[in-house]
Amino acid sequence: MPGDALSQDPALLRGRIDTTKAHPARVYDVFLGGKDNYPVDRAAAAAALAANPRGYLDVRHNRDFMRRAVTRLAEEQGIRQFLDIGTGLPTGENVHQIAQAVAPESRIVYVDNDPVVLAHARALLTSSDEGRTDYIDADLRRPAEILEEAAKTLDFDQPVALLLVAILHFVEDEEAYPLVRELVAALPSGSQVVLSHLTDEMHPEPTRAVQRTYTERGFTFVFRSRAEVERFYSETPGLTLDEPGVVPAHLWHPGPAPAPPAVDEAYFESLDDIEKIRYRDINDVTDDDINVYGAIGTKA
């Protein structure tokens, strides 16, 4: 829960974090140029990068899809409430920073059950004075608990944007589809569902090569096809896909991504391949680079 979770003893919390095994949230942090990771996570990222040298673009464009989606919902749809499940580690431009830049009164609830994320969750609570942010230490597989706690911050009589960004590919079919239905059932009319998902449908060879490097480290990904991602919308009562439907993340209402930090060329060349990622411009993406679908739908 928000208060209970953040009041945990830091030493006890650190004890829950296994730094001997790579962790998906921390590997994701590596690809985003973050610092909240360990050598084992950087080794996993390096192995994935060796299997697919441009694979970092999946992670970076997934994040940029989230940025564009939240901006669009806040600016064009007037959404002022966001429920972000599977938050991941705080990094540049979190949901509350994006939404509150458009509408400072926006309210955001972050949800994750990972001690790595919880250890850094206070960085997610730097709300504007007019708005509010909260963090719930809870598992996606317990939607009733999430909804009960989120209702302490969000008004479920008003539209809510539900963000399921790069989280459902960790959940098997028999759980994933019912979970989405239960979450959406609690949302009022006019709410939006933002979803992104890994796939091996577009470029199976490099994607499965990366998967093997992660499988060796105990990660599990459930790749889904476009049709299987569409099912999250078509099999959820009242939910309709918005244009342009389920598309590669970089093609969902595309626009230029923010420029990377400026860096001296000599310094850049002195870095290893992992360290160079944060300075690479992702605007050079091609259709051959992306293996992530993105979509938004509206609840009637």
Side-chain angles (χ1 to χ4, degrees):
M1 311 317 138
D4 294 340
L6 294 175
S7 64
Q8 290 189 30
D9 185 297
L12 292 176
L13 191 56
R14 285 194 297 271
R16 292 172 55 191
I17 299 173
D18 186 351
T19 62
T20 67
K21 296 179 181 178
H23 188 283
R26 299 194 310 251
V27 176
Y28 192 84
D29 183 65
V30 173
F31 282 119
L32 291 175
K35 302 297 183 185
D36 298 316
N37 51 73
Y38 299 93
V40 67
D41 306 303
R42 292 189 284 276
L49 200 63
N52 181 11
R54 288 175 67 82
Y56 66 91
L57 289 165
D58 279 329
V59 176
R60 297 278 300 280
H61 274 278
N62 175 74
R63 190 75 181 182
D64 198 59
F65 160 74
M66 183 275 287
R67 177 188 64 82
R68 298 195 312 277
V70 171
T71 300
R72 188 178 183 86
L73 292 180
E75 287 183 346
E76 300 184 17
Q77 303 299 323
I79 298 291
R80 298 294 180 261
Q81 303 188 107
F82 298 82
L83 178 57
D84 181 9
I85 303 179
T87 298
L89 284 158
T91 186
E93 285 210 295
N94 300 294
V95 173
H96 71 281
Q97 294 164 320
I98 300 165
Q100 291 178 350
V102 176
E105 70 273 22
S106 296
R107 293 185 166 215
I108 294 87
V109 172
Y110 294 105
V111 183
D112 212 302
N113 73 328
D114 192 317
V116 179
V117 180
L118 178 57
H120 299 277
R122 293 187 187 280
L124 296 171
L125 303 180
T126 55
S127 174
S128 65
D129 291 338
E130 302 92 332
R132 183 174 172 184
T133 65
D134 270 318
Y135 180 92
I136 301 172
D137 182 19
D139 193 318
L140 169 63
R141 294 172 176 85
R142 301 178 68 178
E145 177 184 329
I146 290 172
L147 292 165
E148 179 182 359
E149 290 300 316
K152 297 176 181 179
T153 301
L154 306 179
D155 178 359
F156 280 89
D157 290 327
Q158 299 296 322
V160 175
L162 170 64
L163 275 64
L164 298 167
V165 176
I167 183 64
L168 289 169
H169 47 240
F170 294 112
V171 186
E172 298 289 348
D173 285 355
E174 61 269 19
E175 288 186 289
Y177 293 102
L179 284 171
V180 173
R181 288 194 292 270
E182 185 172 350
L183 288 165
V184 173
L187 304 180
S189 176
S191 293
Q192 308 274 330
V193 177
V194 180
L195 189 157
S196 68
H197 201 294
L198 281 171
T199 184
D200 62 353
E201 184 174 47
M202 291 180 280
H203 312 106
E205 187 173 339
T207 309
R208 292 171 189 167
V210 171
Q211 182 189 36
R212 285 192 294 272
T213 71
Y214 289 145
T215 300
E216 292 168 357
R217 291 165 171 80
F219 296 5
T220 299
F221 290 136
V222 181
F223 290 130
R224 291 188 172 97
S225 66
R226 184 195 305 264
E228 289 168 329
V229 175
E230 289 173 346
R231 282 180 54 199
F232 286 111
Y233 294 90
S234 64
E235 295 185 3
T236 300
L239 194 58
T240 303
L241 265 172
D242 296 348
E243 292 296 331
V246 175
V247 297
H250 68 304
L251 299 180
W252 189 89
H253 295 285
V263 62
D264 177 77
E265 184 175 352
Y267 174 72
F268 178 80
E269 292 302 327
S270 73
L271 301 175
D272 65 27
D273 289 341
I274 289 294
E275 293 170 327
K276 286 178 179 177
I277 288 174
R278 71 186 302 263
Y279 299 107
R280 295 194 183 279
D281 187 351
I282 67 170
N283 289 293
D284 69 347
V285 65
T286 73
D287 292 349
D288 290 334
D289 293 321
I290 299 299
N291 302 283
V292 178
Y293 282 128
I296 283 188
T298 303
K299 185 175 180 182

